[in-house]
Amino acid sequence: RRATTSTATRRRRDARAFALFGPPPDPALLLAEGKALYAEGERMRGYKTFERALRQDTIDVETRRELLYCCMCCNAAFGDVETAKQFLRDMNIAGLPFDVAMLDDRLMPLESSAQMRNQLVKFASGEMKSQGTVQREIFERDRAPRGNLGAMGGGGAGKPQRMGDMDLMNLEISGDTSAETKDIVKRVLGLVVASVVGFVGLFQFGLTFLR
């Protein structure tokens, strides 16, 4: 009964919206509009149009794939590599691999720097991994032998437990923190060396001046 009531409420809400604002925009038309804006150099307006199309309830699979690809291209053109990677991942999940999209002449061209393109290619091929991801893989690999030993012992206490979300988060944070710590140490050492060199130089200059 609750599901029926929710469906009826949604239908009444959609009917009121239709009466006030007309029918919802067609995602395919918004896709064509966004591509035209992008071709004219209005990349941000085109990107907003693509996002608007993705928010529609009625959207077929092919249109959704192309919209995700177009959003990836826009963010690559903006230089936002992280957001471009997110859309690339969603595009791949939707059934449009990156390498296939690059060979499809019907799709919008990817206009970005060579560095951006290389990062997307590496990310798509799975070669680019964060340090937290590497640590997680090491954790999973090291856990497997312990799990096999527990199973051979026959006791339920030796059964390996599933790594939870907090464990994964801690691994990710640990990887990021170690990288940041290394950068901080490098900067501090650089400042110390520069200070020592500067002091020695001033000292030598002072001796020369006094002579």
Side-chain angles (χ1 to χ4, degrees):
R1 179 181 299 177
R2 183 176 301 174
T4 304
T5 304
S6 177
T7 303
T9 302
R10 190 185 313 112
R11 288 177 178 175
R12 287 196 298 269
R13 185 179 64 248
D14 294 343
R16 287 196 298 268
F18 183 87
L20 291 173
F21 307 107
D26 185 359
L29 295 178
L30 290 176
L31 172 62
E33 179 183 349
K35 292 169 67 175
L37 290 171
Y38 186 90
E40 295 172 0
E42 297 286 344
R43 292 176 175 175
M44 181 55 70
R45 289 180 60 192
Y47 177 53
K48 295 298 182 183
T49 305
F50 297 142
E51 285 190 319
R52 182 185 175 195
L54 284 173
R55 289 194 295 267
Q56 303 306 312
D57 295 330
T58 57
I59 176 173
D60 60 83
V61 177
E62 292 296 331
T63 302
R64 178 176 176 78
R65 290 173 181 170
E66 187 170 358
L67 284 169
L68 292 170
Y69 168 79
C70 291
C71 288
M72 181 201 69
C73 290
C74 289
N75 283 279
F78 298 153
D80 189 348
V81 63
E82 294 302 326
T83 306
K85 288 178 182 178
Q86 293 176 10
F87 281 110
L88 189 155
R89 185 185 299 110
D90 294 341
M91 179 183 74
N92 187 64
I93 294 174
L96 180 59
F98 179 78
D99 54 346
V100 174
M102 291 296 97
L103 298 176
D104 195 339
D105 296 335
R106 299 170 299 175
L107 298 178
M108 192 172 71
L110 175 61
E111 300 175 353
S112 64
S113 63
Q115 182 179 4
M116 172 66 72
R117 182 183 291 268
N118 290 335
Q119 288 186 1
L120 292 178
V121 170
K122 289 180 180 179
F123 182 79
S125 62
E127 295 178 0
M128 184 175 291
K129 298 180 180 179
S130 65
Q131 188 172 0
T133 303
V134 174
Q135 291 188 9
R136 180 175 60 191
E137 292 178 352
I138 294 174
F139 178 88
E140 294 288 348
R141 185 173 63 249
D142 293 343
R143 187 185 63 173
R146 293 197 300 268
N148 293 335
L149 291 176
M152 292 174 61
K159 183 179 180 180
Q161 300 295 323
R162 180 181 180 272
M163 184 168 61
D165 295 337
M166 289 302 298
D167 296 326
L168 296 179
M169 185 181 299
N170 290 333
L171 288 175
E172 295 286 348
I173 293 175
S174 175
D176 297 339
T177 303
S178 61
E180 293 177 359
T181 303
K182 291 180 181 179
D183 293 337
I184 292 174
V185 171
K186 290 180 181 178
R187 293 175 185 174
V188 172
L189 291 177
L191 290 174
V192 172
V193 172
S195 300
V196 172
V197 172
F199 176 77
V200 173
L202 289 175
F203 183 75
Q204 292 294 335
F205 176 78
L207 290 179
T208 305
F209 180 76
L210 290 175
R211 291 175 184 173

